[in-house]
Amino acid sequence: MSDVYAQPTTGARRSDVSALASYTTLRMGGPAGRIVSATSADEIVRAVRDAGARGDAVLVLAGGSNVVIGDDGFPGTVVLVRSRGLRVVAEDADTVTVRVEAGEPWDDLVAATVANGWSGLECLSGIPGSTGATPIQNVGAYGQEVAETITGVEAYDRVEETTSRIAAADCGFAYRGSIFKYSDRWVVLSVDFRLSRSPLSGPVRYAELARALGVEVGNRVPLADARAAVRTLRAGKGMVLDPTDPDTRSVGSFFTNPVLDRAAYDLLRDRAADLGEPPSWPGAGDMVKVSAAWLIDKAGYGKGYAGPGGAAISRKHTLALTNRSGQASTADLVALAREIRDGVKTRFGVTLHPEPVLINTTI
């Protein structure tokens, strides 16, 4: 376990080792009071405990792909999760359960499962970040969610100061959420996934992916084909990290798709009558999930829309807000997000909510 002490000033230059911009995909964020790198579950727990004993606020940061950190940074201790590894902990003729350390890069894990003929994560290819972040967000894409394969999450409880494995049924998984999100009580240490032994993907649920694969929705395809198609689709939207592409300097989708009750959806349809039917999908019960990208675009914020200071909507995907110039501040990005949120509310009466975790900033 190693640590770095920050300068006791705010507004650090992005080249400073203490600047959290270096640890986020947005390349934004001011300095930390202290940065500790932890390479095992034991080191993560020790770093969090030690910081708590000093009275420090603690921010646990792994891939930095779903976090927006304010320009003043974080005055406490930042624990960088750098644990790696996966191992099989259970198996039978049809399934295999793998335990994956929180710091394992997510796409490396997906590549390994595909190479081993384990089905269940292939449509989540190309997503940046770490494995430990996936249950926090209940990461999902192209018809798959990690909640479908997670059987348990090992986490350190900062209140009880104990480590335990939490069963999937107790993780409170919901659309882009869980008990771990918006709470600093739990520190994810490892995640267990139960996957099918199969050379074929799960049924393709997403129409766009089915078209890319040349199959019907519900068909299965070779795992490698599903992974390749998903990565191609994501790259076309600037959603696969590429240091040569400034449109990938983002947190992916900045806003979640609104989930409306039937009355709210009917009001939206009335206000959008001149634009055609809003793209939507059935939700739980009588709820309807609506495309945030469509709402943003139709409210006048199309691909490439530029906000203040170099913050801009991606030229490839309306949902991604980017630090395209490389010089935008978090305040610039937040100003753009507020403009979009307020514009959508004014035009359609629907409130958009941010998907990333906001640290020392607000929208």
Side-chain angles (χ1 to χ4, degrees), residues 22-54:
S22 303
Y23 303 103
T24 69
T25 55
L26 269 170
R27 318 311 289 172
M28 291 176 173
R34 186 169 183 262
I35 298 176
V36 179
S37 182
T39 60
S40 69
D42 288 344
E43 286 190 356
I44 296 167
V45 171
R46 186 162 64 251
V48 171
R49 280 179 171 163
D50 289 351
R54 289 192 301 271

Side-chain angles (χ1 to χ4, degrees), residues 273-332:
D274 59 322
L275 300 171
E277 190 77 10
S280 64
W281 306 268
D286 201 34
M287 306 298 282
V288 181
K289 186 188 299 183
V290 179
S291 169
W294 186 90
L295 294 171
I296 293 167
D297 181 67
K298 299 304 182 183
Y301 305 98
K303 295 175 184 176
Y305 181 88
I313 294 177
S314 166
R315 291 166 294 195
K316 299 180 177 69
H317 197 290
T318 315
L319 270 180
L321 306 190
T322 72
N323 179 11
R324 197 165 64 212
S325 68
Q327 301 300 315
S329 66
T330 302
D332 294 332

Side-chain angles (χ1 to χ4, degrees), residues 225-282:
D225 291 356
R227 173 170 166 77
V230 167
R231 283 184 60 87
T232 297
L233 287 171
R234 289 185 62 85
K237 299 173 182 178
M239 298 292 188
V240 176
L241 291 180
D242 180 350
T244 69
D245 183 356
D247 275 322
T248 69
R249 205 176 288 130
S250 77
V251 290
S253 297
F254 195 90
F255 295 105
T256 58
N257 290 322
V259 179
L260 308 177
D261 60 29
R262 181 58 59 177
Y265 179 64
D266 288 342
L267 287 174
L268 167 62
R269 291 178 67 191
D270 290 342
R271 297 181 76 158
D274 59 322
L275 300 171
E277 190 77 10
S280 64
W281 306 268

